[in-house]
């Protein structure tokens, strides 16, 4: 068989292209730190990697949700804590025993003014926002501030509903029981009626009226801390100080202030749950990354070694090409 220069050149070119392809493949391994770049190179590993990618993306979504929920709970806790500080101050410093001038009109007016200021400050904290959303507004979203106090401090509206009117009891109960569930990776499921099963998701809602109370007792005493502060101020402003009525209101306020701490405990429990879940998901994230690397990943040191060898082979092939003879007489006789 006669071997011509053209045949040698064709074989050389084919080999050179193979070397160039190997160099490009090695370069991709260095850049991507992956053993394969196309599914046909290892169909089984590629299929497993696709499943792991889906799990990783879902894990990232859950982590992003939880980080947002954690910040949301931080804002809720901050708002409730500030309200709790005010209620504790009133419970400790505005009892009958704490008042130093229950008979003097000037002294009572001073205490009343302070209670009015604290009453308004409570409403401001109850209307705290996270971004554009009121954290204690239940499912009100980005609408108007959930709490609105009248100028005289005698009427408090929650989402437009008077919190002290017995006729609104059913509406207030519904607003107080609002939920806002977040899927955090516990397999959120729905019951036959299409409602979320509470144990499979996290409720991020905290209606503000569950914090400061609503409605009235059997004796007509308000169960709302904001209104109680105003009513205590009103008694102090009266020409004749009603010691018994003030004592009754303060006792009711003290009980409400103690119950408010339960809201802080509930938020703390949810926050701990979020932190635990974040830690679990971060561990799972690392495990998924390890599995992915085992399927189609490549050790960086090995990838660089392969690339260096491919580069050496390619450069050697180029040098060989310079030594190939030019066309001979046999090529022209062919």
């Amino acid at each position: 068989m006669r071997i011509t220069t053209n045949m040698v050149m064709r074989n050389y070119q084919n080999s050179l292209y193979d070397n160039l392809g190997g160099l490009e493949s090695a370069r991709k391994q260095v850049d991507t730190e992956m053993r394969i770049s196309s599914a046909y190179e290892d169909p089984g590993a590629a299929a497993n990697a696709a499943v792991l990618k889906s799990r990783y993306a879902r894990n990232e979504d859950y982590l992003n949700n939880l980080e947002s929920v954690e910040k949301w709970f931080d804002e809720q806790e901050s708002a409730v804590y500030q309200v709790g500080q005010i209620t504790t101050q009133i419970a400790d410093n505005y009892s009958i025993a704490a008042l130093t001038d229950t008979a003097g009109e000037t002294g009572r007016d001073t205490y009343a003014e302070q209670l009015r200021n604290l009453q308004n400050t409570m409403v401001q904290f109850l209307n705290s926002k996270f971004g554009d959303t009121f954290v204690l507004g239940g499912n009100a979203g980005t609408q108007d501030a959930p709490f609105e106090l009248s100028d005289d401090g005698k009427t408090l509206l929650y989402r437009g509903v008077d919190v002290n009117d017995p006729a609104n009891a059913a509406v207030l109960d519904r607003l107080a029981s609002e939920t806002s569930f977040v899927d955090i990776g516990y397999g959120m499921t729905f019951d036959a009626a299409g409602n979320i099963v509470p144990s499979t998701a996290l409720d991020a809602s905290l209606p503000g009226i569950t914090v400061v109370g609503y409605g009235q007792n059997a004796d007509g005493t308000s169960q709302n801390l904001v209104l109680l502060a105003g009513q205590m101020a009103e008694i102090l402003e009266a020409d004749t100080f009603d010691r018994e009525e003030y004592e009754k209101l303060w006792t009711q306020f003290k009980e409400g202030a103690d119950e408010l701490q339960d809201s802080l405990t509930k938020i703390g429990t949810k926050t701990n749950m979020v932190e635990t879940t974040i830690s679990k998901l971060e561990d799972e994230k690392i495990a998924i990354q390890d599995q992915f690397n085992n399927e189609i990943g490549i050790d960086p040191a090995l990838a660089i070694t392969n690339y260096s060898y491919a580069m050496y082979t390619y450069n050697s092939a180029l040098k060989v090409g310079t030594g190939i003879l030019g066309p001979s007489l046999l090529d022209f006789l062919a």
Side-chain angles (χ1 to χ4, degrees), residues 83-122:
V83 175
Q85 289 291 95
I86 294 173
T87 58
T88 299
Q89 179 183 346
I90 294 174
D92 291 344
N93 301 332
Y94 289 82
S95 66
I96 288 292
L99 297 181
T100 59
D101 189 6
T102 57
E105 181 178 349
T106 301
R108 293 200 308 270
D109 286 346
T110 300
Y111 281 110
E113 182 180 358
Q114 292 171 349
L115 280 172
R116 296 289 188 193
N117 291 335
L118 293 173
Q119 184 187 29
N120 283 286
T121 304
M122 277 194 284

Side-chain angles (χ1 to χ4, degrees), residues 16-42 296-300 302-311 313-314:
L16 185 63
Y17 292 150
D18 288 341
N19 288 332
L20 184 60
L23 178 63
E24 177 62 15
S25 177
R27 184 193 65 77
K28 288 182 178 179
Q29 288 182 346
V30 174
D31 288 345
T32 64
E33 295 187 3
M34 291 195 296
R35 178 172 53 84
I36 62 175
S37 56
S38 300
Y40 72 85
E41 299 177 39
D42 191 337
I296 64 173
I298 186 171
D299 181 72
L302 177 60
I304 293 173
T305 300
N306 291 343
Y307 178 73
S308 297
Y309 180 77
M311 178 64 76
T313 304
Y314 178 69

Side-chain angles (χ1 to χ4, degrees), residues 114-285:
Q114 292 171 349
L115 280 172
R116 296 289 188 193
N117 291 335
L118 293 173
Q119 184 187 29
N120 283 286
T121 304
M122 277 194 284
V123 173
Q124 291 174 10
F125 284 123
L126 289 169
N127 287 331
S128 296
K129 300 175 70 174
F130 176 65
D132 293 329
T133 307
F134 295 95
V135 296
L136 300 180
N139 291 340
T142 58
Q143 300 174 3
D144 295 334
F147 288 94
E148 182 180 351
L149 182 66
S150 62
D151 293 337
D152 59 9
K154 295 181 179 181
T155 304
L156 179 68
L157 304 181
Y158 175 74
R159 308 254 301 266
V161 180
D162 188 341
V163 304
N164 207 46
D165 189 345
N168 297 329
V171 176
L172 292 169
D173 286 340
R174 177 178 58 80
L175 292 175
S177 61
E178 283 184 337
T179 56
S180 179
F181 289 105
V182 180
D183 185 5
I184 59 173
Y186 286 165
M188 187 169 69
T189 56
F190 299 83
D191 59 22
N195 299 316
I196 296 175
V197 178
S199 61
T200 64
L202 178 64
D203 182 14
S205 177
L206 181 62
I209 51 175
T210 64
V211 176
V212 292
Y214 62 95
Q216 296 181 1
N217 292 322
D219 62 358
T221 305
S222 177
Q223 294 183 335
N224 180 267
L225 293 172
V226 177
L227 291 179
L228 282 170
Q231 291 168 2
M232 290 164 64
E234 189 174 354
I235 292 177
L236 289 172
E237 291 167 342
D239 293 337
T240 302
F241 178 67
D242 189 338
R243 184 187 187 92
E244 182 178 347
E245 182 65 18
Y246 186 90
E247 181 72 17
K248 184 177 72 171
L249 293 177
W250 178 85
T251 301
Q252 176 63 38
F253 189 95
K254 181 84 165 56
E255 293 175 359
D258 292 338
E259 292 174 359
L260 182 144
Q261 300 304 316
D262 293 339
S263 297
L264 278 175
T265 302
K266 291 178 182 178
I267 298 174
T269 301
K270 291 181 180 180
T271 301
N272 289 337
M273 179 182 178
V274 168
E275 291 174 349
T276 300
T277 306
I278 287 177
S279 178
K280 171 181 172 293
L281 289 174
E282 287 177 341
D283 290 341
E284 183 178 347
K285 178 179 178 180

